[in-house]
Amino acid sequence: VIFWGGLIFLCIGVIGNGLTVFTLWPDRKKTPTTFLLITLAILNTFELVSRFSFYSINSLCAYVKINFGYVCETYRQWLSPVFFAYLLPLAYSFHLAGIWNIVLVTVCRYVAAVYPLKMQAVTGIRKVFDRLFAVSCFCARISNSGVSLHY
């Protein structure tokens, strides 16, 4: 049940994020907000795929253990430690980067509303790209350090 529900959720998420990127792509260089929304859709897609890969294989092995016992034992012995060591922190990285991306969208929209004449100087595409790169590096470092920022 978890596998099929996760697969449906993954398909809906990937299609929705793909439509978002397809819709916003022509305007990606006009405003920083469209650039950040495209980045958010891509981060969410990566998070969906990595979490689905991690959680669904475990539930699938629990569901079909009778028929594919050897395959599931091989997965638990060889792939599960690799997935737990690399894929789960990667999913947390994408999740945390998506949250901080939403914060960047909020700050850009605040600057545009309060200081409309200074918006381009303060939140240009290049500056937003630099901030997004810094946030991504921060998220990758935090999620791989063992420090939990979740409550």
Side-chain angles (χ1 to χ4, degrees):
V1 174
I2 293 173
F3 175 77
W4 297 111
L7 185 63
I8 292 169
F9 190 67
L10 174 74
C11 290
I12 290 171
V14 168
I15 289 170
N17 287 332
L19 288 173
T20 301
V21 170
F22 180 73
T23 303
L24 295 175
W25 190 259
D27 297 330
R28 71 186 177 280
K29 297 206 178 196
K30 289 184 181 176
T31 64
T33 305
T34 56
F35 176 73
L36 288 171
L37 290 176
I38 289 170
T39 307
L40 180 63
I42 292 169
L43 287 170
N44 283 338
T45 302
F46 287 158
E47 181 187 2
L48 278 170
V49 170
S50 59
R51 286 189 188 267
F52 177 77
S53 301
F54 182 75
Y55 291 116
S56 66
I57 294 175
N58 284 329
S59 66
L60 185 65
C61 280
Y63 179 71
V64 294
K65 187 175 182 181
I66 298 168
N67 297 333
F68 300 105
Y70 178 73
V71 174
C72 289
E73 287 302 318
T74 304
Y75 163 75
R76 285 194 181 101
Q77 186 177 7
W78 298 102
L79 292 178
S80 184
V82 173
F83 278 2
F84 190 72
Y86 298 108
L87 201 58
L88 195 58
L90 191 64
Y92 287 139
S93 255
F94 292 138
H95 179 73
L96 197 57
I99 291 171
W100 281 103
N101 195 344
I102 293 171
V103 171
L104 286 174
V105 169
T106 306
V107 168
C108 283
R109 295 316 311 151
Y110 173 77
V111 169
V114 176
Y115 307 107
L117 298 176
K118 296 182 181 179
M119 182 190 156
Q120 197 61 24
V122 177
T123 60
I125 296 286
R126 180 67 184 166
K127 291 180 183 179
V128 168
F129 181 77
D130 292 344
R131 290 178 185 131
L132 188 62
F133 181 74
V135 162
S136 298
C137 290
F138 169 75
C139 294
R141 178 67 184 124
I142 289 296
S143 65
N144 290 324
S145 67
V147 175
S148 176
L149 296 178
H150 296 70
Y151 49 92

